[in-house]
Each structure stands twice: as C-alpha cells, then as structure tokens.
Amino acid sequence: MWARWRDALMRYAERRLPALTRYRQVEALPIRLHPRRVYILPTRFGLAFAVLLLAMLIGALNFNNNPALLLALLVIAMTMIGFHHCVAQLNRVELRSVGADPVHAGQPLRLRLGFHAGAGAERPQLVLDQEQRATCFTLQPDTDGKAEILLPTTRRGRMAVGRFRLWTQYPFGITWAWSVLHPDVQVLVYPKPEDGAPTLPLGDPREQGQRLRFPGDDWHGLREHRTGDPPKHVAWKASARLERLLVKEFADPQSHAVMLDWEAVQLDKEARISRLTRWVIEARDRQIPFRLRLPDAELGPGSGAAFAATCLRELALLP
Amino acid sequence: MNPAIDRSRYALVLALDTLLLAGQLHWMPAVYALWLGLLLLLATWLARQRVRAAPALIRIPLLFATLGLLVYSTGSPIGREGGSALLGGLIFLKLFETATLRDARVTAAAALFFCMIGFLFGQGMLLTLYFCLVALACFVVLHVASNDRDDASVQWFDRLRRGLRLSARVATAAIPLTLIVFVLFPRLSSPLWGAPWDATQGKTGISDRMRPGQLSALWNDDSPAFRVTFEGAVPPPASRYWRGPVLWSFDGQEWSRSDLFRGSRVGALSYPPDSVVDYEVLMEPSERNWWFPLDFALQTPEGTRIGGDGQVTSFRPIIGPRKANFRSAWRYQLDVNPALGQRWAALRLPETGNARARALAAGWRSTHNGNADAIIDAALQMFHRDFAYTLEPPPLGVETVDDFLFNTKAGYCEYFASSFAFLMRAAGVPTRIVTGYQGGSYNASGDYWIVRNSDAHAWTEVWLTGRGWVRVDPTAAVAPERINRGSLSAALPEAASWYSEGWGAEWRNRFDLIARYWRQAVIEFDAVRQRNLLQQVGLEDMSWQALGGGLLVFGGIGLLLGVWLSLRGLTPQTRDPLLLAYRRFGARLARAGVARAEAEGPITFGERAAQQLPSAAPAILELTRRFAEQRYGVSANDQDLSHRLRLARELRAFRSRR
C-alpha cells in the first residue's frame, strides 16, 4: 500500500518537477556527484536521537544548568558537523565505468561499477543498492574502486542497468545521505539456452561440408586438457611452456562445419532462439566448427569462444 | 536489516558503561553503584561465554534485584536521585539484551542523556570535562555501531582507531559552534517546570535537626559550602560565625526547629557602627532554603527573608549556585525584650529523662541563686576542666545528655551545645541552639574566604536580662583554638589532611580559584549575565528577533568553521617535496602570465611556457624535463633522494624574468 503510494508520488514528482528529479534520468558516464545532487535525511535512529537532543536542551535550559547546556550543545554541534561528513562521503565520487560479462537470461548478472573518489581520505561504508540488492564497499583515495552487484536477468537482448542508489550512513548512523545514479549503460544478456534440447545436428557430411570426427588419425591441433583424456595424448612440451595441460588432438576430416540453421528448426521464435543458443554453447564447448544461419545473416564457419560470443550476441539481438 | 553485534563492538559498549559509571559515582548511593558495577562484571563474564543476549531467566531476576536495591538505597524511584538511578539501572540492564548494533546505538544515546543527569548533582569543571569525554566515547560507539555493512576484513583495532580519530576531530571542530551558541542561546528567565525534587531531600550541608553525632558526616566533606568576599575590614576569626538554622525543640534525643517563630520578625537590634560589614556570599547548591550570613544579618537580599530567630531563608531552594549581598554586624544586642513566647520556648524540656543532668542543673541554680551568668560560668568551667574535644567520640546511649556529661566526657560541638543547652534550660536559663559554620579559610590568590562543609558548627545562645540573646559557645571552653584559628583542621591536627597545609594547600587554593572562575563564567551565566555581556559588545537591543538572528548568523559561521576544520584533512593534500616544489614553480609561472590548465601535462605546459617566456625557456624546459623524469620516468622509483631534493630546491629557486 505504502510502496504503491510512494511510487505514484515519485512518478508524479518526476513528471511535474524535473528539476527535483533531473538526476534520476539517464546520464552518460562519468557521473560525478556534487553537493546539489546528494540528498540527506535523518535515519529512524536519527529522528529518535533528535528527540533526545531536544529533551537534553530543554532540560538544561529549564534548570539553567549551564554545564548540561554545554554538553547538549556540544552533542548537537557534533551531530550537525556529522551531517556534513555524511554528505562529504558521497561528494566528488565519480562513477567511471559500468561493465559486466554477459550471462544468459535467467542467470544473475554480475555488474561491475568502477568508482573513483579523487584525493583525500578514504571513504568507508558506501552502499550501492538497487531494489533489494545491495553491496558495501570502501573507496581508497586516488584509487579506482570497484563495486559489484548482482542483477537478475529475465529476457535476452540489451538491458539497461537501471537506476542505482549510492548511499551511506557514515559516520554516526544518524543521517542517511544518498544520490541516484542512472548511468546510460546497457549490458548484453544472451538468450536462455533450451533445457533438454536435442543434441547438436551433426547432419549429413555431403550437405554439411567439411566436418571432423574425433578422435581420428590426422594431427588437428592442441586443446585444453579435459578430464578423461588419455595421458599419452598430453603434449608435454607445449604444456610445460604454457603451464597448463594441453593435449594433442587428432581428427579425421569428415565433413564441413556443422550448420545451425534457423530455418531448420521448426519452433516458434523464442524457442528457436533458445535451441540455437544451446547448440552454439554445445559447439563451443566441444570445439566443433559451426556455422549459424539466421533469418537475415549467416555467420561462420568458425569455432572457439570468440566466434561463439559473436553468435550468441546476434541471437540475443534478434528482433 | 539489523545486524548482530560482534565481540569487539560489544566490548566497546562495556567500556562506555564503565566510563559512565565512573562519572556518576559522585552522587550514587554506594550500594547501588556497587550493584551496577557487579552488573557490568556479570555482563563482561557473559560476553566472554559468548552470551550477549541473556535469557529472560537471567534478565527478569536482575531487573527485580535492581529495582529492589534502587528503592532500598534511594528511597523511591521518583525524584531526582531515584529517577536518575533508575535510568542508570536501565542502561546497565540493557547490557544483557544487547544483541544487535541498534541496541549498541540506543545505549550510546541513553548514555549521553545519563551524562546530563550527572550535572543535576554537580556542575564542577572537571566533571564537565569528564562528561564531554564520555560524550566523545558515545560518539565512538555510534560510529563503530553504524558500520553495519563494514567488511569483516577491517581489524577491530583499526575500526576503533578510525572511530576515535573521527569523533575527536568532529568534537574539536564542534567547539566554536558550541561556544557561540552557548553565549547567544536565549535563556529562560524562569523555569518552565519546577525542579524534579523537593527541598527536604537534600543531602549536603547542615540539616534542620541536630542529634549529637550527626555533623561528623560533614567533617569528612571538604567541599565548599560557600565563598565570601568582604568589602572592607574582615571580622576577627573568633567572630566569624555563619548563622544557619536555629533549633528550639528538644525531644530527649534530637533538637529541631520550631514553627513558632517562622513568621515572626526580628526584635529590637542594636549594634556599634564599626562592627558593620558588607560582603558578598556565593552559595554552592545545597538544595535547601538556607543562607548562612555572618551573625547577625542586618540587610538581606531580594528573594530571602529573615525569621524572628535571625535565620535567613530564601523562597526557593538553592539548587544552583547563587550569589547575594549581605550586610551584617558582628557585635550586636538582640531582643533585650524578647517577644512573648520566646523565653517560654527556650526553656522547654521533655517531661522526663536525663535525671542526673537535671539534678546537676538544679544544684547550680540553688547554689548561684538563679544568677544566669554564674550558672553559665559553672557549666563552662566544668567543660573546660573535665571534657575533651575529639572528632571521634564514643557512642552515646539513650540518655544522651547524661551519658555524655557523666560517662564519655568527650565529643565535639554538637555534644557540647546539646548538653549545655539542656543544662541551661534545666537551670532556668533560656537557651537555644544555633547551627551553621564557624571560621573559613582565606584564599589569597582570589582574595576571598572559603567556608567548607567541614567547618560546620553548632553553638548556643542564652537570653540574659538586659542583654538579650548572647552567644555562648561551649566548644570554645574545651577547644578554644577551634574557634580562634577559625578552621577545624588548624585546630585539630588529626582532622587535617595532607592537602590542607603547605604546598598542598597552595595548589588547592589555586584550583579553587579556577573553580570559582568556572562558576562565574559558566555555571552562573544566566539571562541577566547574557544581557550584560551582549550590551558590552553594543547589542543593546535584546529582542528575541535580534538574538535569534545573531544566533543564526554566528551559529552559521561557527558551523562552517567546524565543517572546514573537520573536513580539512579530507581534501587533497600532499607532502611530497618534489610535487610541492613543482606547484610553486607552476605558481611562479602563473604569476609571469602562463597559467597551467587543469588538463595540461607538465611537458606540454613546459613547452608552452618556454614559448611564451623565451628568456627563461632553457631553464623551464630543463626543469620540466627533469621533473617529468623524476616523477613519471623510469627513475621515478629510483631511490636517489639527493637528486630529487636538489631538483626540488632548484624548482623552488626558479625565478622568471619577463
């Protein structure tokens, strides 16, 4: 109930008072915070604390007890200076970069936000949150600091990272200073791979062109060691140079690269994308060269992570 | 949402409560303070057992035990002492249910309030400083407990140090604002509500009852009762009697005041003009209504009245330090013709009891044929001959007067005054007991006299035909030096403390002087003093608008000053001599007309400057090149310090000629 009212109120405020909420709109990086866009309010504890200070003040005045008045005023003055410290925590903080490794829809996206605070003292206890997810970090002076936050993903394609709140209750927990960061950044979300999809359509060699059958007799190349590889295939010399296990791979040229054809999958659109995604992943993991034919593009043949990433990207961005 | 408290933060809360308790010992009943200390130990022990929120099975009995001890030691949970002790008890009980950081913050806030409570019982400078330090500790706890989400990698010691440093910095920065607002904040000319206690509850100072053995509690109390500044000549030591409550009624055990003379007026009073002194009395808060003017007060200040027996009372209890001007005559004749009833009241005795004393008095009466002077003389001689003055007399039985006169024969002023008055009344001489102070010590550095609670005294007045009420001090018959030297410790070496003589006394006097300045500057600063102070700086108009405006303007300045002071270290700063020297070099060039743009690197800037200042171009280029090399080049990590320092020196020495 309350949340709904608040949201309605915020929407109204944003519509009618752009000046008030201007900093809630998307902005290009870097976003630099300055006092005009850092807001401050007492915390709930701060409100109770204020009542206590008022009681101290009135009590001291009433009994004309000057040492008590001095103490009350000292505490009030410290609290007021604390407000400025709270705002200064956020002031001049700069959001310089936002990035993430793409994930498949449905998986949480680990968003990395790069901050910079300039010179001065360290800024502990900065909290970055978006809805219920929050992360706490400390910025060291003159050093780039990173905050990571997990965002849920639901659908493929470009996703705006949305609006973040950077806030702090430092130093005394009496006040709460915050600013809204809405970077104009979109991250890519790959389509969700189909669960229980049919295996990769290795297809007919005559139609599909050059294909390799593993294992074979001809030298094919080196690849990362996977569990189950026979030890006699390990390429010891090459492994020693690279400090990881490589195995010699032999394959027979059998056919052309696998064709992952949009037209060949008879499903509705999203399911089709989902199945192709699964196949691309599978091909990537099995190091099988493949081609991907989409309604208005054809990629490949190719293999490896980079090619697969291109394919996944195309799939994600399909209209 | 509300994170649990960890070990190190809980330890800080325990430490805060320890500081808090230490600051409240000055008023707390010993039993109760001891109990709170025990609670603290118990909480510490539980915390070591990793139990921070104790089960109700422990908490509820502790609550009842605390309440029971509260009622036992303070009488009731209502009133100043009881209420304060209750708050303190709750804060300490909170230790047993402190499970989250929020609890720690609540404790810190309550501790701040409890610090203020301490000022209801004493307003000394040291106490104020101490409580300001405790307030600082409260902020440290607030700071440390607001770190809900602080990462665990931070060591608790670093966290404490960070909190301490920040709180100290903020507190220092808050001082100007505090002082400005303290001076300018509008004071109430009259309280909104009354004091939370009534006058009869007071503990310090003289009481309106007297039972032999009672004043001894005061003799251990070296705190000042009041300070006196004489204008002109000072009366001789043997006449420095400070008159307090006058006791008329005796019930066999205890002397008390009588309501008979409360409303009556002072009778006929005559005095030689050369015995009149004017002086100013600065009373410490006693929570009672009594002033102690020099015997006998002629003029009393506003807000007080003088009773028929010469006791000066104020209309309101003295709960804060109060200052007043008096005029007294130290030689006088009072009530040559006493009011009806006074003589009668001064002769009353209980029907029975103390038979041997009665018999002795009856014997004197018949021997001396009712001659009052002779009877007094006989009694004083008896005291002088057979009695000893001691501060640690043996206890008395039920028949106090008989026991003292015929058995123990040793005591101090109360014993002598009480038995003397009894003997006189039994012999038919009207007598009353006066309590108050006698003597006082001189503070040369401040030119005032200080009368301490340990100077409390009791003496008698007898009514003699044709001479009125005459002061007779039976103690003087036994220990004349007690009266003539004017202070207890001077008379009785056994009552003297190491600090009351020699260099100790000197330092004590100095400290008392500081304490007096503290009184004048801080404690007594009220609406009137505020107005006077502001008039001195030309603010005649003391309307609340003017005061509020001044408060806003000057308070704002104070706040800005504090913010600047406390945030100063948080803005960029460097101590690298090379960088500082280069900045100076840049400033020199800027003065010569080439200012460095913010985004401009040193080399680009150097080239531009060389172009614009051809005369200095070689030096600029050379210095810039070397600077860039030292700061950014491969050799930047080089440990060749001498080279860097030489370069810094050359950068500083750079002068451009236009």
Side-chain angles (χ1 to χ4, degrees):
Chain A
M1 186 67 156
W2 162 238
R4 221 173 57 211
W5 282 1
R6 197 183 53 184
D7 287 352
L9 200 70
M10 288 314 286
R11 272 198 304 277
Y12 178 80
E14 238 163 285
R15 214 165 48 241
R16 299 304 302 266
L17 299 166
L20 186 73
T21 58
R22 181 161 42 119
Y23 295 116
R24 302 173 68 90
Q25 311 300 326
V26 286
E27 294 173 82
L29 292 177
I31 301 175
R32 193 177 158 90
L33 299 188
H34 50 79
R36 277 217 317 260
R37 58 182 294 173
V38 176
Y39 307 97
I40 183 166
L41 275 179
T43 59
R44 219 177 329 160
F45 172 76
L47 283 179
F49 196 74
V51 173
L52 181 92
L53 292 188
L54 196 67
M56 282 170 76
L57 188 66
I58 292 176
L61 284 174
N62 185 62
F63 297 128
N64 204 8
N65 192 325
N66 280 333
L69 185 66
L70 265 179
L71 183 79
L73 291 179
L74 180 73
V75 172
I76 292 172
M78 284 179 76
T79 311
M80 286 174 80
I81 289 173
F83 299 168
H84 290 263
H85 277 255
C86 197
V87 172
Q89 274 291 98
L90 299 184
N91 193 19
R92 291 203 313 269
V93 167
E94 205 173 288
L95 175 62
R96 288 190 167 172
S97 64
V98 179
D101 292 332
V103 295
H104 295 278
Q107 292 175 331
L109 180 89
R110 183 174 291 274
L111 197 68
R112 287 186 304 270
L113 296 101
F115 286 97
H116 191 88
E122 65 166 3
R123 296 157 192 251
Q125 287 177 65
L126 297 171
V127 183
L128 184 78
D129 76 354
Q130 185 179 52
E131 282 149 36
Q132 298 305 311
R133 295 167 299 278
T135 175
C136 180
F137 62 104
T138 298
L139 279 183
Q140 296 300 332
D142 255 342
T143 316
D144 287 318
K146 269 212 171 9
E148 288 193 338
I149 192 165
L150 290 177
L151 299 188
T153 55
T154 50
R155 34 177 291 272
R156 68 184 174 89
R158 293 196 188 281
M159 187 180 86
V161 294
R163 202 183 265 168
F164 295 93
R165 204 166 47 175
L166 184 66
W167 58 267
T168 186
Q169 292 190 358
Y170 192 85
F172 299 126
I174 291 168
T175 48
W176 183 70
W178 79 96
S179 189
V180 176
L181 301 171
H182 199 169
D184 186 12
V185 172
Q186 294 188 323
V187 290
L188 190 68
V189 179
Y190 292 156
K192 181 180 165 72
E194 187 184 352
D195 288 328
T199 50
L200 210 53
L202 294 175
D204 180 355
R206 279 163 309 171
E207 278 177 34
Q208 305 277 328
Q210 187 72 27
R211 209 151 55 88
L212 292 168
R213 193 188 61 209
F214 293 87
D217 297 316
D218 288 2
W219 166 261
H220 176 67
L222 293 169
R223 63 161 170 83
E224 296 259 4
H225 179 268
R226 285 200 293 270
T227 47
D229 281 328
K232 64 174 183 175
H233 285 177
V234 172
W236 294 110
K237 262 187 191 165
S239 300
R241 264 201 311 278
L242 292 176
E243 292 185 311
R244 55 195 163 128
L245 275 184
L246 295 178
V247 292
K248 285 177 272 194
E249 206 170 41
F250 298 90
D252 282 340
Q254 203 183 30
S255 65
H256 293 295
V258 177
M259 171 60 80
L260 305 177
D261 194 347
W262 174 269
E263 300 301 334
V265 182
Q266 296 302 318
L267 289 166
D268 70 340
K269 187 177 141 206
E270 288 303 320
R272 221 184 271 200
I273 292 174
S274 193
R275 174 158 305 168
L276 287 175
T277 302
R278 165 63 67 198
W279 283 346
V280 169
I281 295 170
E282 207 179 321
R284 179 191 67 195
D285 293 348
R286 289 169 58 182
Q287 301 274 325
I288 300 173
F290 66 96
R291 285 189 289 172
L292 177 66
R293 188 182 288 155
L294 293 174
D296 49 1
E298 185 165 335
L299 300 157
S303 67
F307 177 64
T310 316
C311 296
L312 289 171
R313 178 188 166 83
E314 289 300 318
L315 283 168
L317 294 179
L318 277 178
Chain B
M1 193 66 201
N2 200 1
I5 192 164
D6 61 7
R7 220 177 151 85
S8 61
R9 290 183 172 109
Y10 189 74
L12 279 184
V13 176
L14 286 171
L16 175 66
D17 276 6
T18 313
L19 287 178
L20 205 57
L21 182 62
Q24 307 285 358
L25 288 179
H26 66 107
W27 60 268
M28 231 179 231
V31 186
Y32 195 69
L34 206 64
W35 171 249
L36 293 189
L38 278 177
L39 285 184
L40 200 59
L41 285 180
L42 182 60
T44 312
W45 183 77
L46 282 176
R48 288 186 73 87
Q49 312 296 312
R50 300 187 173 276
V51 183
R52 277 181 278 282
L57 200 64
I58 295 181
R59 291 206 313 259
I60 290 171
L62 284 181
L63 173 68
F64 281 108
T66 308
L67 288 180
L69 262 169
L70 175 74
V71 173
Y72 167 75
S73 57
T74 64
S76 94
I78 303 166
R80 179 181 56 152
E81 202 167 88
S84 310
L86 180 64
L87 179 66
L90 292 180
I91 289 177
F92 278 78
L93 286 172
K94 178 83 183 160
L95 281 176
F96 294 93
E97 52 166 32
T98 296
T100 63
L101 288 184
R102 210 184 69 103
D103 291 327
R105 278 149 69 167
V106 169
T107 304
L112 277 174
F113 196 79
F114 197 45
C115 281
M116 255 200 48
I117 296 275
F119 289 123
L120 289 179
F121 300 91
Q123 305 184 26
M125 182 176 54
L126 292 180
L127 197 69
T128 311
L129 279 177
Y130 182 80
F131 279 133
C132 285
L133 286 179
V134 178
L136 189 68
C138 291
F139 272 89
V140 173
V141 170
L142 280 183
H143 176 270
V144 168
S146 71
N147 293 12
D148 312 24
R149 296 157 188 272
D150 203 6
D151 49 288
S153 64
V154 181
Q155 291 290 308
W156 72 269
F157 182 73
D158 286 337
R159 198 187 289 139
L160 170 65
R161 202 173 48 186
R162 189 199 279 167
L164 202 60
R165 206 168 41 199
L166 186 98
S167 304
R169 179 195 282 267
V170 170
T172 318
I175 290 174
L177 177 59
T178 308
L179 294 183
I180 289 171
V181 178
F182 178 76
V183 172
L184 290 178
F185 206 89
R187 298 300 203 279
L188 300 175
S189 46
S190 62
L192 296 174
W193 71 87
W197 58 88
D198 56 1
T200 57
Q201 250 189 336
K203 282 247 159 99
T204 55
I206 282 177
S207 120
D208 58 351
R209 297 170 178 278
M210 188 188 91
R211 175 201 289 271
Q214 207 171 39
L215 275 187
S216 58
L218 287 179
W219 283 336
N220 299 321
D221 182 1
D222 249 337
S223 59
F226 51 93
R227 296 179 177 84
V228 181
T229 313
F230 284 105
E231 292 165 25
V234 179
S239 298
R240 283 199 290 267
Y241 281 86
W242 309 95
R243 191 182 184 92
V246 181
L247 312 178
W248 294 84
S249 327
F250 185 58
D251 65 356
Q253 301 277 330
E254 189 173 78
W255 292 85
S256 58
R257 286 198 317 153
S258 164
D259 287 338
L260 279 176
F261 309 103
R262 193 156 281 178
S264 64
R265 300 188 155 272
V266 180
L269 182 66
S270 59
Y271 49 90
D274 62 335
S275 74
V276 174
V277 282
D278 286 302
Y279 54 98
E280 184 189 73
V281 176
L282 173 57
M283 274 294 285
E284 292 288 316
S286 64
E287 293 148 36
R288 301 182 178 278
N289 298 54
W290 310 326
W291 286 88
F292 296 91
L294 189 71
D295 199 12
F296 191 94
L298 306 175
Q299 254 175 34
T300 57
E302 213 175 306
T304 64
R305 62 176 303 280
I306 183 163
D309 48 17
Q311 189 195 348
V312 177
T313 49
S314 67
F315 298 141
R316 272 201 246 124
I318 302 172
I319 55 169
R322 236 191 284 170
K323 194 185 274 185
N325 285 300
F326 283 94
R327 165 175 288 183
S328 291
W330 50 273
R331 275 185 286 140
Y332 59 91
Q333 260 195 355
L334 175 66
D335 279 347
V336 180
N337 300 304
L340 196 70
Q342 275 206 5
R343 283 198 54 193
W344 170 78
L347 282 171
R348 239 158 43 123
L349 280 180
E351 296 291 317
T352 56
N354 297 310
R356 290 179 71 188
R358 280 177 210 263
L360 179 68
W364 284 339
R365 187 177 187 171
S366 55
T367 330
H368 299 295
N369 215 358
N371 182 339
D373 277 319
I375 295 172
I376 294 167
D377 214 38
L380 291 181
Q381 270 186 18
M382 179 187 78
F383 281 148
H384 184 65
R385 202 172 51 235
D386 300 335
F387 285 71
Y389 185 83
T390 172
L391 287 183
E392 283 159 0
L396 298 181
V398 183
E399 306 263 294
T400 51
V401 179
D402 273 4
D403 206 22
F404 174 68
L405 286 177
F406 302 104
N407 292 331
T408 65
K409 298 197 179 188
Y412 48 85
C413 60
E414 285 181 337
Y415 292 76
F416 293 108
S418 169
S419 49
F420 181 79
F422 186 89
L423 286 173
M424 289 305 111
R425 286 190 178 187
V429 183
T431 313
R432 63 189 184 190
I433 291 183
V434 187
T435 56
Y437 297 89
Q438 206 278 325
S441 48
Y442 182 58
N443 188 331
S445 22
D447 189 27
Y448 58 88
W449 292 79
I450 175 163
V451 178
R452 302 177 187 279
N453 277 318
S454 54
D455 293 322
H457 192 50
W459 63 93
T460 59
E461 283 181 337
V462 295
W463 189 84
L464 300 175
T465 321
R467 285 156 60 192
W469 290 105
V470 175
R471 184 196 306 135
V472 177
D473 191 345
T475 314
V478 185
E481 62 279 5
R482 162 77 180 88
I483 310 306
N484 291 328
R485 293 204 200 149
S487 116
L488 184 64
S489 50
L492 276 186
E494 71 197 59
S497 324
W498 60 270
Y499 51 76
S500 50
E501 14 180 306
W503 59 270
E506 215 168 282
W507 279 103
R508 204 155 71 117
N509 274 346
R510 270 175 214 163
F511 181 75
D512 192 71
L513 189 68
I514 299 172
R516 204 175 69 136
Y517 283 137
W518 173 256
R519 288 224 160 291
Q520 287 174 346
V522 178
I523 300 180
E524 289 172 48
F525 191 82
D526 57 4
V528 178
R529 297 275 300 267
Q530 187 182 36
R531 194 175 306 132
N532 290 342
L533 184 76
L534 293 182
Q535 273 173 0
Q536 275 174 16
V537 295
L539 285 171
E540 299 286 338
D541 173 28
M542 273 286 294
S543 66
W544 63 267
Q545 290 101 329
L547 207 57
L551 191 64
L552 276 183
V553 171
F554 288 103
I557 292 173
L559 182 63
L560 287 181
L561 188 65
V563 168
W564 176 74
L565 271 175
S566 66
L567 286 176
R568 200 171 38 153
L570 304 180
T571 50
Q573 255 182 7
T574 181
R575 286 205 189 86
D576 179 6
L578 187 62
L579 195 58
L580 288 173
Y582 182 73
R583 282 190 190 153
R584 197 148 141 193
F585 171 75
R588 286 256 160 73
L589 286 175
R591 236 174 294 153
V594 195
R596 185 176 159 193
E598 206 173 320
E600 206 170 17
I603 292 182
T604 353
F605 171 62
E607 282 166 358
R608 193 165 60 87
Q611 273 179 7
Q612 293 189 19
L613 301 166
S615 61
I620 294 175
L621 286 175
E622 164 72 7
L623 285 172
T624 304
R625 186 189 61 75
R626 278 168 61 201
F627 170 74
E629 190 177 283
Q630 282 296 319
R631 185 156 172 84
Y632 306 107
V634 189
S635 62
N637 295 327
D638 214 343
Q639 292 302 305
D640 187 3
L641 196 64
S642 63
H643 187 83
R644 301 196 84 176
L645 289 178
R646 196 168 63 238
L647 175 59
R649 211 160 45 234
E650 283 174 41
L651 279 169
R652 277 201 302 273
F654 172 81
R655 301 274 190 288
S656 78
R657 298 172 303 276
R658 290 219 70 159

